[in-house]
């Protein structure tokens, strides 16, 4: 689990994607809000049935609700129209965020926004006028905190953690260089499990216990908004969890400082700031895919070296395209470090393998991003020739070995600058071990010069070329066989822009866990405003576990682009075979569109389940990779989604609490 | 003393308890119309399950009416702001058991717009007032029922409320505490506050309430001033002092009444209430430390059973109020002062 190097199951959300994410959010939670409005309308009509209509509703609210229903009706009508073959433009919302938004997208987002607004309106009317008071929320939070302390929940947690630490070294046996990885993985896991249980217990039982013991009666008969009780509980328990986490993190850090070994220190006791390129392949069957080696886990793609029998067959390359290299890099002196950690896949085991030190040799070529592949090979050849000539000349004039080495280095740098290209061969790659190659800074200076001379631009039909490309290919195997393949993934190779301290990164990882706790606490507290303690706990647990697999389920749902329950039913009814295409009639086209809607709803539904995995940052910390603060990091990928869930939770909690008869628990 | 300003009003207030599926479980209150005026002590009476607590909870917004309105200070009971002027002592005073008396009052004080200094002063003042100074650092878990009731009352008064709603304020209190509570309620009224209370101790209600409403099965049975309700114009009561009861006196009185068309129902020495006796004995014991019950001094064990189980007022005594320690429920005492 932790010896596979740094990998991410999905790309973290970036700043550029936030607008799209907002549209998505409006569609999904807007739809939920609309469902809430429907429920409210039904309840309202039932309630008003026997009574004389006295309660005056806000006209703006009524208008918004009408617009919401109108818009959804419109989407439905357009969809029906399309299903019946009328040309109405694309009403199907796209499931791919990178695609352009369709008419359906816009309509749904608009309807969603109106629904959210309609739901927020009474709430803001109630609370927006300064009715919420920090004074009271803090008092209630203090009460919750005191209560938890009185129950000695933290002591219990600390006791469990102490036991874990005591026996940790028993089950924490691993390769030396994996030590910190293992520590971090185990620590984060233990902290997460224990504190999540604590958060669920605290959150789920706080308000229900209050209601059951009737103590809440003395609070709601004070000038306290019911929502303040929810917030007070939430913040109070947040404080409990924060305190607990602070103590545990400090202890964990002590444990790490005390026992870390040399190799692990080198491997992951740091926070690398990587710059990643986009990975694609050349010489393989598909541009964006390497060879499939039949491994279950498809995270990495594979390339092979030239086969001895067909040495002239096209070479396979894994290419990382760096759109932009930080300007600061070009100003540096000396060598620019790149790091990599690849997977080696063996068709047949050799003796070396058994000793665990097998390796294959690779060539790394750093080149101007604008150069096509063929040009690169030519230039490599030119550069090689010139280098040999220059070196020969140097050998004649310089006798001193040291001076000779210096000169060779100079030549290397000059040529890198001249050709906009630098290549090293015979780099030994060992399985899952972080290794380093360097490229002269002169190359990057050259890239910048080129850029200022004529900035890269997108040409019609193709996108803007990258600034730098790095080609990796497998050299001919020393053993003379090409039985080994090199497995690569986007994040396996990167420019090491900086190294930051481990401590801060460790704490960032803890913040990630803290976000998880806050989210699960928010969910538990929200449930507990309406449900009993036990039920709230179960709901929180049942939301949490699928939440761990959201990415996988989503992947699965997205992979199914055909079929659906209706189509299957139809096939069964008709006795049509699985694979045969359906005849095209209005009926089948309706079936198909309905199934599209079904799949789309399934995906939508999934987005409403919080993806808890995104807060698991042990991969970064354990492998020594810096967790970015803002872009693709704590802010965009963690805090924003957290708020995306907490805000609907808060709205739901507000209404559930408001409509709840405190003295009449059902 | 009671002004005409309406503090609490219910209009056709109805509460039907329903289960989750909306099926009717119990009609707890049926079209209740009430008005409570500023500066009065208003009593809600009724047997168990008659809807007293339900009424109070509706007034506090703890329950939502099925129909009709509950208005407090002319605002809907659902309005949170009205709570700034209300103090509420629940039927069973469930406070946070892990807090001590001081922390409890401090916590409830923080829920109001009271500055820290005032809050602290008020806390001490109330603890003093409810007689918990010695126990203010103990957590409520260790408190006895009566002590909890006291701190519950203190909690209800933390904001110096205009309207005090007390659900069975004297339950769980010893006779001393009951008297203290009653005095306090009267004092609250004298300060111009309005008090709504319900209680099963009719004598308490009789002593202090200005007006009462009697509920049964969720319906208002009787409403009016205590004096008006209790005055029995069919009967006449006469008390005299300076004479001993003897046959001649009885005959004479009979004659006089017969002339006016009346008849003696009862004649005998007045009986004090157990409450008075209890209070007197406790006071004496405080004045003379070391005093103890001595059969010789008092001659013999007193065993004056009331013949018909009725006290002077002819009112049925509630059996549960009798102290188990007392062998006889009512003690005849000729030397006692006569209640006014
Ligand atoms: N949550 C509830 N669900 C169903 N019925 C209820 C509920 N609360 C009270 N009731 C019923 O409503 C009726 C009135 O109850 P309420 O508590 O108001 O009586 P009360 O007059 O205060 O009685 P007591 O003197 O025993 O305190 C009772 O019959 C009771 O069973
Ligand atoms: Mg009651």
């Amino acid at each position: 689990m932790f010896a596979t190097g740094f990998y991410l199951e999905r790309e973290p959300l970036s700043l550029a994607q936030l607008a799209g994410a907002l549209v998505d959010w409006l569609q999904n939670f807007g739809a939920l809000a609309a469902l809430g409005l429907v429920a409210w309308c039904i309840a309202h009509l039932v309630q008003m049935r026997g009574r004389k209509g006295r309660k005056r509703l806000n006209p703006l609210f009524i208008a918004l609700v009408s617009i919401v229903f109108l818009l959804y009706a419109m989407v439905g009508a357009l969809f029906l129209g399309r299903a019946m073959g009328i040309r109405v433009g694309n009403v199907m919302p796209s499931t791919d965020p990178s695609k352009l938004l369709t008419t359906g997208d816009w309509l749904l987002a608009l309807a969603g926004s109106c629904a959210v607004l309609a739901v927020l309106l009474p709430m803001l009317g109630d609370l927006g006028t300064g009715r919420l008071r920090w004074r009271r929320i803090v008092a209630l939070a203090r009460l919750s905190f005191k209560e938890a302390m009185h129950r000695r929940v933290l002591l219990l947690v600390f006791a469990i953690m102490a036991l874990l630490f005591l026996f940790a070294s028993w089950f924490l046996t691993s390769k030396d260089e994996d030590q910190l990885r293992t520590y971090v993985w185990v620590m984060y896991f233990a902290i997460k499990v224990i504190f999540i249980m604590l958060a669920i217990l605290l959150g789920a039982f706080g308000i229900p216990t209050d209601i059951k013991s009737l103590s809440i009666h003395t609070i709601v008969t004070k000038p306290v908004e019911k929502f303040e009780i929810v917030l007070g509980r939430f913040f109070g328990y947040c404080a409990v969890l924060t305190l607990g986490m602070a103590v545990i993190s400090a202890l964990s850090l002590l444990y790490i400082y005390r026992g870390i070994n040399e190799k692990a220190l080198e491997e992951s006791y740091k926070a690398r700031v990587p710059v990643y390129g986009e990975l694609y392949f050349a010489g393989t069957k598909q541009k964006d895919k390497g060879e499939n080696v039949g491994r279950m886990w498809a995270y990495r793609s594979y390339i092979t070296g030239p086969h001895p029998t067909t040495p002239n067959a096209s070479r396979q390359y894994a290419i990382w395209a760096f759109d932009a290299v930080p300007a600061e890099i070009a100003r540096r002196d000396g060598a620019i470090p790149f790091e990599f950690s690849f997977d080696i896949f063996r068709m047949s085991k050799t003796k070396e393998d058994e000793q665990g030190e097998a390796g294959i040799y690779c060539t790394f070529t750093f080149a101007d991003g604008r150069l096509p592949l063929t040009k690169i090979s030519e230039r490599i050849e030119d550069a090689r020739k010139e280098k040999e000539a220059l070196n020969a000349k140097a050998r004649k004039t310089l006798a001193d070995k040291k001076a000779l080495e210096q000169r060779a280095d100079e030549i290397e740098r000059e040529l890198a600058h001249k050709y906009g290209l630098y290549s090293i061969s015979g780099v030994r790659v060992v399985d899952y071990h972080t290794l380093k190659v360097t490229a002269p800074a002169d190359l990057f200076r050259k890239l910048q010069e080129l850029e200022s001379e004529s900035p890269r631009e997108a040409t019609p039909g193709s996108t803007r070329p990258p600034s730098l490309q790095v080609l990796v290919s497998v050299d001919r195997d020393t053993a003379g066989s090409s039985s080994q393949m090199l497995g690569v993934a986007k994040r396996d190779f990167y420019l090491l822009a900086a190294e930051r301290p481990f401590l801060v990164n460790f704490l960032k990882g803890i913040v990630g866990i803290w976000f998880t706790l806050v989210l699960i606490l928010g969910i538990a507290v929200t449930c507990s405003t309406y449900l009993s303690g036990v039920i709230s706990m179960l709901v929180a647990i049942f939301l949490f576990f699928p939440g761990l697999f959201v990415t996988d389920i989503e992947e699965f749902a997205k992979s199914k682009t055909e079929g659906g329950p209706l189509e299957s039913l139809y096939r069964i009814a008709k006795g049509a075979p699985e694979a045969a295409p359906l005849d095209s009639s209005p009926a089948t086209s309706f079936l198909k569109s309905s199934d599209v809607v079904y799949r789309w709803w399934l995906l939508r539904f999934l987005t409403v389940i919080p993806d808890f995995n995104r807060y698991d940052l042990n991969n970064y910390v354990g492998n020594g990779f810096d967790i970015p603060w803002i872009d693709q990091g704590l802010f965009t990928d963690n805090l924003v989604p957290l708020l995306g869930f907490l805000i609907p939770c808060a709205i739901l909690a507000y209404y559930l609490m408001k409509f709840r008869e405190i003295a009449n628990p059902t | 003393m009671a002004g005409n300003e309406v503090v609490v009003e219910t209009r056709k207030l109805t509460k039907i308890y329903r289960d989750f599926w909306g099926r009717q479980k119990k009609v707890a209150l049926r079209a209740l119309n009430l008005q409570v005026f500023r500066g009065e002590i208003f009593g809600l009476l009724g047997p168990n399950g008659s809807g007293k607590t339900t009424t109070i909870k509706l007034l506090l917004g703890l329950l939502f009416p099925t129909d009709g309105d509950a208005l407090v200070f002319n605002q809907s009971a659902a309005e949170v702001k009205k709570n700034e002027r209300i103090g509420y002592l629940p039927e069973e005073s469930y406070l946070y058991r892990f807090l001590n008396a001081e922390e409890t009052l401090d916590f409830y004080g923080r829920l109001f717009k009271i500055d820290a200094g005032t809050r602290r002063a008020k806390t001490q003042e109330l603890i003093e007032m409810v007689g918990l100074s010695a126990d203010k650092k103990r957590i409520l878990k260790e408190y006895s029922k009566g002590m909890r009731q006291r701190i519950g009352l203190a909690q209800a008064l933390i904001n110096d409320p205009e309207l005090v709603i007390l659900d069975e304020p004297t339950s769980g209190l010893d006779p001393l505490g009951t008297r203290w509570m009653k005095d306090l309620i009267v004092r609250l009224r004298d300060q111009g506050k309005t008090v709504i209370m319900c209680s099963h101790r009719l004598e308490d209600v009789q002593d202090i309430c200005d007006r009462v409403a009697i509920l049964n099965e969720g319906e208002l049975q009787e409403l009016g001033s205590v004096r008006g309700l209790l005055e029995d114009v069919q009967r006449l009561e006469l008390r005299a002092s300076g004479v001993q009861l003897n046959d001649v006196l009885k005959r004479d009185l009979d004659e006089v009444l017969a002339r006016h068309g009346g008849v003696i129902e009862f004649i005998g020495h007045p009986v004090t209430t157990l409450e008075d006796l209890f209070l007197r004995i406790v006071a004496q014991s405080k004045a003379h430390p070391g005093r103890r019950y001595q059969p010789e001094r008092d001659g013999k064990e007193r065993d004056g059973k009331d013949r018909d189980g009725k006290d002077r007022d002819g009112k049925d005594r509630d059996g549960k109020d009798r102290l188990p320690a007392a062998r006889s429920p009512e003690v005849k005492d000729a030397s006692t002062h006569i209640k006014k």
Side-chain angles (χ1 to χ4, degrees):
Chain A
M1 192 99 189
F2 23 78
T4 48
F6 182 58
Y7 73 92
L8 294 175
E9 281 183 10
R10 59 174 181 86
E11 285 293 303
L13 211 60
S14 67
L15 278 173
Q17 288 171 305
L18 281 189
L22 179 68
V23 171
D24 239 27
W25 186 89
L26 284 173
Q27 288 183 359
N28 298 331
F29 287 96
L32 282 189
L35 286 180
L37 287 176
V38 171
W40 179 86
C41 283
I42 293 171
H44 186 74
L45 289 178
V46 169
Q47 250 193 357
M48 285 293 113
R49 211 175 36 186
R51 303 178 74 167
K52 279 147 253 127
R54 291 170 299 111
K55 239 165 98 181
R56 192 79 60 72
L57 290 167
N58 185 341
L60 185 57
F61 176 72
I62 297 176
L64 270 175
V65 173
S66 320
I67 292 175
V68 170
F69 291 151
L70 204 75
L71 282 172
Y72 278 112
M74 237 165 99
V75 176
L78 283 179
F79 169 75
L80 264 182
R82 199 177 98 107
M84 290 186 310
I86 304 167
R87 283 179 56 93
V88 285
N90 189 6
V91 289
M92 281 324 296
S94 64
T95 41
D96 183 356
S98 61
K99 291 233 177 77
L100 274 174
L101 295 176
T102 63
T103 324
D105 271 328
W106 282 116
L107 276 176
L108 280 172
L110 191 62
S113 323
C114 288
V116 169
L117 212 66
V119 164
L120 273 176
L121 201 67
M123 184 172 166
L124 292 182
D126 257 14
L127 306 175
T129 47
R131 290 233 204 135
L132 290 187
R133 282 271 172 270
W134 273 112
R135 175 168 45 84
R136 294 191 292 257
I137 296 172
V138 169
L140 289 160
R142 277 172 41 129
L143 180 83
S144 307
F145 186 84
K146 271 190 190 168
E147 186 176 36
M149 289 300 143
H150 179 77
R151 290 198 190 137
R152 305 207 172 84
V153 287
L154 278 187
L155 282 188
L156 183 75
V157 166
F158 293 155
I160 297 174
M161 290 301 284
L163 270 181
L164 274 180
F165 275 117
L166 227 53
F167 297 110
S169 43
W170 285 5
F171 52 85
L172 290 191
T173 47
S174 57
K175 274 200 295 185
D176 277 356
E177 75 173 46
D178 287 337
Q179 184 200 31
L180 192 56
R181 274 191 193 122
T182 321
Y183 274 10
V184 169
W185 191 83
V186 171
M187 273 166 188
Y188 276 20
F189 184 75
I191 294 177
K192 211 163 90 173
V193 169
I194 291 173
F195 276 88
I196 279 175
M197 287 196 304
L198 180 63
I200 291 181
L201 284 179
L202 285 176
F205 285 96
I207 294 174
T209 310
D210 242 18
I211 289 178
K212 225 170 164 181
S213 72
L214 311 185
S215 7
I216 201 166
H217 290 194
T218 47
I219 293 186
V220 288
T221 51
K222 303 279 182 282
V224 173
E225 290 288 336
K226 286 183 192 166
F227 190 50
E228 286 173 336
I229 299 177
V230 179
L231 290 181
R233 286 277 162 198
F234 177 73
F235 289 128
Y237 294 145
C238 274
V240 174
L241 294 171
T242 310
L243 176 70
M245 291 280 284
V247 174
I248 290 290
S249 327
L251 290 179
S252 306
L253 278 172
L254 268 182
Y255 190 85
I256 289 175
Y257 281 135
R258 208 186 46 103
I260 190 169
N261 68 42
E262 260 331 285
K263 278 191 174 165
L265 214 66
E266 174 61 29
E267 178 76 12
S268 38
Y269 188 73
K270 55 181 104 173
R272 301 173 174 92
V273 181
V275 176
Y276 292 111
E278 288 302 326
L279 174 63
Y280 67 96
F281 295 88
T284 54
K285 288 183 200 98
Q286 280 168 292
K287 190 181 181 223
D288 53 344
K289 279 205 178 105
E291 304 294 334
N292 188 355
V293 294
R295 276 199 177 170
M296 285 275 287
W297 196 42
Y299 178 66
R300 289 196 164 82
S301 300
Y302 293 80
I303 54 170
T304 60
H307 199 272
T309 52
T310 52
N312 295 325
S314 77
R315 242 181 148 172
Q316 295 194 343
Y317 290 102
I319 304 170
W320 278 269
F322 292 82
D323 182 47
V325 172
E328 164 263 332
I329 296 286
R331 287 195 295 274
R332 284 195 209 168
D333 264 347
I336 304 302
F338 285 78
E339 283 188 340
F340 60 89
S341 160
F342 298 142
D343 172 30
I344 297 173
F345 181 76
R346 298 165 193 82
M347 305 285 207
S348 57
K349 290 244 180 233
T350 63
K351 236 193 266 151
E352 282 173 326
D353 287 338
E354 263 125 56
Q355 289 155 2
E357 45 191 49
I360 50 179
Y361 294 88
C362 294
T363 298
F364 287 73
T365 306
F366 302 80
D368 175 6
R370 281 179 267 208
L371 294 177
L373 215 56
T374 45
K375 204 78 168 275
I376 290 176
S377 332
E378 278 170 29
R379 282 213 192 171
I380 289 178
E381 200 49 37
D382 292 349
R384 194 180 56 80
K385 279 183 189 145
E386 187 166 349
K387 184 170 138 189
E388 266 170 20
L390 285 172
N391 272 334
K393 211 170 106 193
R395 269 197 295 277
K396 275 179 206 151
T397 52
L398 294 167
D400 184 6
K401 203 176 170 204
K402 204 155 172 214
L404 205 62
E405 258 171 35
Q406 212 172 349
R407 176 65 194 138
D409 196 43
E410 261 172 45
I411 292 168
E412 204 81 87
R413 287 163 51 187
E414 275 163 21
L415 290 177
H417 188 257
K418 180 174 172 192
Y419 287 92
L421 181 133
Y422 173 74
S423 182
I424 31 173
S425 303
V427 179
R428 184 150 178 267
V429 178
V430 184
D431 205 10
Y432 290 138
H433 182 76
T434 309
L435 296 162
K436 200 175 260 187
V437 284
T438 55
D442 309 67
L443 170 64
F444 296 90
R445 220 172 40 247
K446 170 80 170 187
L447 293 181
Q448 200 150 60
E449 285 163 17
L450 286 171
E451 179 71 18
S452 46
E453 274 165 28
S454 62
R456 288 169 290 134
E457 264 163 23
T459 52
S462 66
T463 48
R464 193 167 78 135
S467 163
L468 169 76
Q469 49 183 332
V470 181
L471 289 72
V472 176
S473 60
V474 179
D475 293 351
R476 192 183 299 184
D477 208 307
T478 38
S481 76
S482 67
S483 61
Q484 312 201 82
M485 293 176 93
L486 190 71
V488 294
K490 177 184 167 179
R491 282 165 201 278
D492 283 353
F493 180 84
Y494 49 89
L495 193 168
L496 184 59
E499 277 186 7
R500 300 213 171 116
F502 173 79
L503 174 72
V504 178
N505 209 35
F506 184 85
L507 294 180
K508 282 186 197 166
I510 290 287
V511 169
I513 299 180
W514 188 82
F515 282 156
T516 317
L517 299 181
V518 170
L519 179 52
I520 196 93
L521 179 70
I523 291 172
V525 170
T526 302
C527 295
S528 77
T529 53
Y530 186 70
L531 304 169
S532 74
V534 179
I535 304 288
S536 311
M537 185 180 79
L538 290 179
V539 171
I541 290 174
F542 278 118
L543 265 180
F544 178 71
F545 280 102
L548 292 179
F549 305 110
V550 160
T551 340
D552 305 287
I553 306 172
E554 214 166 338
E555 204 80 340
F556 178 74
K558 271 187 187 157
S559 70
K560 291 206 126 195
T561 49
E562 280 289 302
L566 283 181
E567 194 181 316
S568 310
L569 268 182
Y570 181 81
R571 278 181 197 278
I572 291 168
K574 282 261 172 148
E578 266 299 310
L582 290 178
D583 50 343
S584 58
S585 68
T588 52
S589 102
F590 177 75
L591 280 185
K592 284 198 162 177
S593 339
S594 309
D595 282 340
V596 170
V597 171
Y598 164 79
R599 279 198 305 276
W600 183 76
W601 268 109
L602 190 71
L603 271 177
R604 291 285 130 154
F605 180 72
L606 284 173
T607 46
V608 176
I609 299 176
D611 172 10
F612 283 100
N613 268 334
R614 67 169 70 235
Y615 305 104
D616 185 353
L617 304 173
N618 89 73
N619 220 331
Y620 284 93
V621 181
N623 288 300
F625 283 84
D626 188 56
I627 302 163
W629 282 112
I630 307 289
D631 196 15
Q632 297 209 317
L634 278 182
F635 175 74
T636 52
D637 198 48
N638 292 344
L639 185 61
V640 169
L642 177 70
L643 292 179
F645 281 104
L646 281 186
I647 290 170
C649 274
I651 297 174
L652 186 63
Y654 168 79
Y655 283 106
L656 288 180
M657 202 66 180
K658 181 185 160 106
F659 291 127
R660 179 159 192 180
E661 274 187 303
I662 292 295
N664 187 20
T666 32
Chain B
M1 62 199 141
N4 285 328
E5 189 191 336
V6 177
V7 174
V8 168
E9 183 172 13
T10 67
R11 294 187 198 136
K12 291 200 175 145
L13 188 61
T14 302
K15 179 67 195 177
I16 301 173
Y17 286 107
R18 294 179 191 278
D19 69 3
F20 179 78
W21 306 108
R23 285 175 305 201
Q24 186 165 324
K25 271 200 299 197
K26 172 84 194 171
V27 183
L29 209 58
R30 238 186 223 119
L32 178 71
N33 288 313
L34 276 185
Q35 282 190 329
V36 178
F37 301 101
R38 178 172 295 281
E40 70 174 346
I41 302 178
F42 189 89
L44 275 171
L45 304 184
N48 289 131
S50 54
K52 305 181 293 292
T53 303
T54 302
T55 309
I56 285 178
K57 284 179 176 167
L58 283 164
L59 291 178
L60 287 164
L62 287 169
L63 292 173
F64 305 145
T66 310
D67 205 351
D69 298 290
L71 299 175
V72 180
F73 300 122
N74 257 323
Q75 298 169 43
S76 152
E79 201 64 43
V80 172
K81 245 186 121 49
K82 71 173 196 319
N83 292 347
E84 276 165 17
R85 301 151 72 187
I86 295 181
Y88 168 54
L89 172 69
E91 186 169 14
E92 283 152 286
S93 174
Y94 287 105
L95 302 171
Y96 291 94
R97 314 187 80 191
F98 53 89
L99 299 177
N100 64 33
E102 259 181 349
E103 289 170 331
T104 303
L105 294 188
D106 186 68
F107 165 66
Y108 287 108
R110 280 169 191 271
L111 301 179
F112 291 95
K113 202 171 179 213
I114 308 175
D115 64 273
T118 320
R119 191 175 66 227
R120 271 192 288 275
K122 191 86 191 162
T123 299
Q124 294 309 326
E125 180 196 323
L126 283 170
I127 286 177
E128 190 75 22
M129 190 190 87
V130 299
L132 289 172
S133 306
D135 300 299
K136 65 181 179 188
K137 295 284 183 201
R138 290 170 63 196
I139 60 170
L140 265 51
K141 203 161 124 185
E142 302 169 0
Y143 275 22
S144 71
K145 172 130 204 294
M147 290 161 88
R148 278 209 278 272
Q149 194 77 355
R150 285 159 188 265
I151 188 71
L153 183 76
Q155 162 274 131
L157 298 178
I158 189 86
N159 56 329
D160 210 2
E162 287 170 47
L163 169 65
V164 186
I165 298 181
L166 309 167
D167 199 342
E168 309 210 7
T170 51
S171 85
L173 292 179
D174 58 18
L176 220 61
T178 307
R179 166 53 60 86
W180 163 81
M181 178 71 85
K182 289 191 321 197
D183 288 348
L184 186 96
I185 293 171
V186 171
R187 212 160 65 227
L188 288 175
R189 176 193 54 197
D190 294 345
Q191 287 167 13
K193 299 185 195 310
T194 313
V195 179
I196 297 178
M197 59 176 279
C198 65
S199 175
H200 288 296
R201 298 211 201 175
L202 300 179
E203 74 277 17
D204 297 352
V205 176
Q206 184 186 341
D207 282 354
I208 60 172
C209 286
D210 298 314
R211 290 197 309 140
V212 294
I214 301 177
L215 293 172
N216 191 31
E217 293 287 314
E219 288 192 87
L220 186 61
Q221 306 289 335
E222 194 74 76
L223 175 70
S225 78
V226 174
R227 264 204 77 80
L229 289 176
L230 291 184
E231 215 168 49
D232 188 350
V233 291
Q234 303 298 316
R235 291 195 172 136
L236 192 70
E237 195 178 77
L238 173 123
R239 296 182 195 178
S241 55
V243 286
Q244 282 284 320
L245 180 63
N246 56 45
D247 283 353
V248 183
L249 177 66
K250 205 172 170 210
R251 221 176 26 245
D252 287 353
L253 284 173
D254 247 345
E255 255 173 49
V256 174
L257 285 173
R259 268 212 304 280
H260 291 273
V263 57
I264 292 180
E265 278 182 356
F266 167 77
I267 186 164
H269 292 294
V271 170
T272 180
T273 59
L274 178 61
E275 190 189 2
D276 280 338
L277 174 76
F278 186 94
L279 292 171
R280 192 157 43 79
I281 290 176
V282 174
Q284 276 176 11
S285 133
K286 270 195 185 145
H288 309 279
R291 175 193 186 274
R292 55 163 51 147
Y293 174 65
Q294 285 166 331
E296 310 84 58
R297 198 194 61 185
D298 294 312
K300 58 180 172 73
E301 268 188 51
R302 299 186 205 178
D303 191 14
K305 261 206 185 78
D306 198 357
R307 273 154 301 236
D308 50 9
K310 290 184 171 190
D311 73 359
R312 285 169 302 125
D313 304 327
K315 184 177 69 177
D316 269 324
R317 278 309 192 118
D318 194 347
K320 80 169 186 187
D321 278 347
R322 288 176 187 159
L323 290 182
R327 282 196 54 228
S328 51
E330 266 135 36
V331 183
K332 283 189 177 173
D333 189 342
S335 68
T336 187
H337 72 277
I338 292 164
K339 263 188 111 180
K340 56 168 166 93

